[in-house]
Amino acid sequence: MHKRALGAAAVTGVAALALSACGGSSPTTPSDTGAAGTSKATTTGVPETPSGTAAPVRDANVDLVIWTDADRSKAVQKYADEFAAENGVTVKVQISTDTRAQFKDATKVGKGPDVIVGAHDWLGELVQNSTVAPVNLSSDVAAKFLPKAIEATKFNGQAYGVPYAVENIGLMYNKDLVPNPPKTMDELVAAGEKLVKEGKAKQVLSQFVSKVGNAYFAYPYLSAFPEGGIFAIKPNGDYDPNKVIVNTPDSVKGGDVLAELGKKKVLSTNVDDTNQDALFDTKAAPFMISGPWSVAKAKEAGINYGIAPLPSLTGGGAMRPFLGVQMFYVSSKAKNAALAQEFVTNYIPRKDVQLALFEVGKRPPALKEAYAEVAASDPDVKAWYEAGIDGSPMPNIPAMNSVWGPFGQATADIIAGKAGAKERLDAAAKEITANIAKG
Amino acid sequence: MKKPIALAIKWVLIAVALLGILYIATKLAAAGNVMAVVLAGLVGMGVLAVYATKRSVPLKYLVPGLLFMILFQLWPVLYTASLSVTNYGDGHLYSKEESVTDIIAQSVREVPDTPRYKMSVAIAEGGDPATADLVLLLTKPDGSTYVGDNAGLKPLPPTGVEKTPVGKITKAPGYTILTAKQANARSKDLSAIAVPTSDGGGIKPVGLSEAFEGKATVTYDSAADQLTDAATAPPSVYAPKDAKWVNVADPTQSFPQGWKENIGLANYSRIFTDSTIRSGFISIFIWNIAFAILSVLTTFLLGMLIALLFNDPRLRGKAFYRSLLILPYALPGFVTALVWKGMFNQDYGIINQTLGISVDWLGTPGGAKAAILITNLWLGFPYMFIVCTGALQSIPQDVREAATIDGANAFRTLRSIIMPLLFVAVGPLLLASFAFNFNNFGLIYLLTKGGPFNGADTSIGSSDLLITYAFRLAFSGSAPNYGFAAAVSVIIFLLVALMSIPGFRRTKALEEVN
């Protein structure tokens, strides 16, 4: 009995461990997947690493507490130390394994940090739960950032943080197999099928679909058509949760493309996060639709890769990816609100800070000046940026939480040929609308 | 006659227990939970009453178990039940008052075409930095300086004022400028400052070195219990409805911040009346029972067969085989589950490739269920093998010999002698294994996440267990709804409890064999 109990405890513990590792970011946001590069920054303080996956414990004697993931912690620590020295205060950077959930839960019981580092699409949920405070950048500082990055930090017209990086997906291609990136999906399929026929590749394209679908990767097929997408845009530029457009005629056109590519085996529900990179890195697939987080692995595998914008679809325009923006938030229940605001508004917009954060994440910086400097020396960053130039920020309204599951599953079913695009997207729209009404 | 040493040990233990309770009570007091402090005090008195006196001997044995049962079994059940009658969930975490303050605070916008001030936080000279009234020393972009507090803005004569190159005041006669640390300690007071301006806005600090002129667009009318947002033209009015502030003119619009409130049995009636949930619940329940029974059955049969085989005295190298067989049990379950997930991949998985078939294991309901049972067989049989081996070895050899002498063949011995004795030992374990598998969250989550999902509804997966279903309701999916998930958990608890009763009766019957 004891052994069994132990076994059960171990399994639950392990499940909890695995859960906290996979949870957090919405099923589709790959913002946490990247671990490219390491920080060369020398640090005086050492980021506090949590034991296991539990939320960090807030130190009551510190003047400013910042939670971040492990990758960014060193870069944040360096400037946190500088800030501490300059202001005569103590700052602690703590590593949170699942900032989104842990921040929400810790704040609820008054033990949350003052500042967190996170993705912009958490915003709606954080506002809904009264956990973040507005951050008021002056208009001349805001003008130094990419307009889309600033747009992403806003909810209901109010700004809630300072951005530092932008990420999006693009087309990665194997230069040894395909010298020039295709401009259209038809060209891509033709080039890929030729390689498969010649025996130089096993399949045309590697794209994360999975059995439950992936809304983040499927969205660009809809957005290639003018009226296609997930939510309509309100006059003030916000996404409108009351206007779900996943089943408009234009969205269905995108769905038809998914169906066709599924039939041709270009897209497959058997490709998911576990094998997507491997397919490209073993040269089984000459093309992969992915983001900056895949670069490090491709480099390690010795692939001569290129990065290009997503191709355009026949009858529509270019596939436009979602933009994900990484940003610093200030907690609405911050114990050290003044210092938190000071750090976020005065330090994060600095060029050297943005460059240091670039070094650990290799995502295009959100500060124009920093981006210009990086883009001049790093062709990958420039390519990623250009692949996302027509993209729009991922919706940050809470209603988006109702979309990931139903819309993702719909695209998986369409790709697998289980249902027609029109019928399936209609059903998804119905479910999304019902979920939003419930929430 | 009591030995002094035993007495000393007893009193030390009582003191340690009381100190522990005191420590917990101080923690609870710091958290401001009066009720819990009182309870802790009662528990402490109870411990003293039971162990310091000579009365109530049975209680001396029962108290620790009772306490832990209340703490770790009863309390969570009661808490879950109390949560299940609320709408607690995303957007409904705090009280109504907090939602009002939050909505108003979040509606503060910068008044267009107003200057940004450089700012220092100060107090009147000679005051105590921790308590004195705060003032803001402000510098306009044109260089003119001002003093502001909640009474208003007045010019600060430039004589004796020192500024940094960007214009932040570092010294002003008659004022003491606070350090960052001192100012930060007053964050609460600082956020309450809004220097009133002529156009109805207020100059508010941003951090410690800047200030802007902002204005809250939302106002609360407590008499009518309504919020008015002046940002739109005409101003929109929001009234409370379903624990949210909903626009009176256009009910599709509402503020995202709602509040927590009691909704009675609405969560329960939703489980039983919502046709999708009800039919989904029934199908999940049936699969859940089938999964638990089949898991126990398959793992037990395989484990027992191997145990019987290896219990044969003629087999050599048993130690080696046995340790090999325990391997799947020794490997972390989540690693194994993920490896199996890869092996079940339709195109790239080793199972389809080796067998030359193209079964969509994880994409069809039947395939997913089969995949789960196969993986669980792999994960579970070593445990059954271990307990069966142990139980078999404890069956005395003379019983078997007696059976042989009485003329029973091998199968008859197994059926009539070994199996009944085996069941006495492993019966309760099979039940425990059933209960464990009934809630085997990790396996399902890692292998299929409850999927594949039926076309029109992604809230109910075809390989979902009740526990993964409740988890999806509570923590992921559309809108995390702890209240509803708690109601589902309560139902699961009742079901498992009901099923356990006949189970435990049955084990009692088994024990009578001895």
Side-chain angles (χ1 to χ4, degrees), chain B residues 429-448:
Chain B
L429 296 178
L430 293 184
L431 260 186
S433 176
F434 176 83
F436 170 78
N437 276 310
F438 195 84
N439 288 325
N440 198 337
F441 179 86
L443 176 73
I444 304 288
Y445 197 82
L446 291 170
L447 213 56
T448 64

Side-chain angles (χ1 to χ4, degrees), chain A residues 217-405:
Chain A
F217 285 94
Y219 164 78
Y221 291 87
L222 271 60
S223 71
F225 299 91
E227 305 275 307
I230 290 176
F231 291 116
I233 308 277
K234 281 192 209 171
N236 70 356
D238 283 356
Y239 287 102
D240 188 346
N242 295 313
K243 290 209 182 91
V244 176
I245 56 167
V246 294
N247 61 341
T248 58
D250 271 5
S251 288
V252 172
K253 279 185 203 162
D256 288 335
V257 174
L258 289 174
E260 194 196 321
L261 292 176
K263 209 190 250 167
K264 288 184 180 164
K265 301 273 174 208
V266 174
L267 294 177
S268 158
T269 55
N270 293 316
V271 179
D272 56 26
D273 48 344
T274 57
N275 53 15
Q276 140 172 295
D277 282 311
L279 287 170
F280 184 72
D281 297 345
T282 55
K283 299 182 185 168
F287 299 107
M288 169 163 75
I289 291 184
S290 190
W293 50 88
S294 288
V295 166
K297 281 186 210 152
K299 237 181 221 167
E300 214 170 277
I303 299 289
N304 181 16
Y305 65 88
I307 300 158
L310 293 174
S312 59
L313 303 181
T314 316
M319 292 165 67
R320 290 175 295 129
F322 271 141
L323 296 184
V325 175
Q326 298 286 324
M327 60 191 277
F328 282 75
Y329 290 100
V330 174
S331 164
S332 63
K333 310 271 191 294
K335 296 215 166 58
N336 307 294
L339 278 177
Q341 291 273 355
E342 181 73 9
F343 178 72
V344 170
T345 54
N346 271 335
Y347 262 64
I348 308 307
R350 272 170 39 178
K351 190 173 121 188
D352 53 340
V353 178
Q354 299 256 329
L355 289 175
L357 287 164
F358 163 76
E359 282 305 322
V360 287
K362 297 285 178 189
R363 314 286 203 271
L367 190 75
K368 285 181 197 163
E369 221 185 326
Y371 168 71
E373 187 174 319
V374 173
S377 61
D378 192 331
D380 281 5
V381 169
K382 194 159 182 277
W384 285 124
Y385 174 75
E386 280 163 3
I389 213 152
D390 290 326
S392 30
M394 213 186 305
N396 60 13
I397 50 179
M400 192 60 194
N401 284 342
S402 304
V403 173
W404 297 117

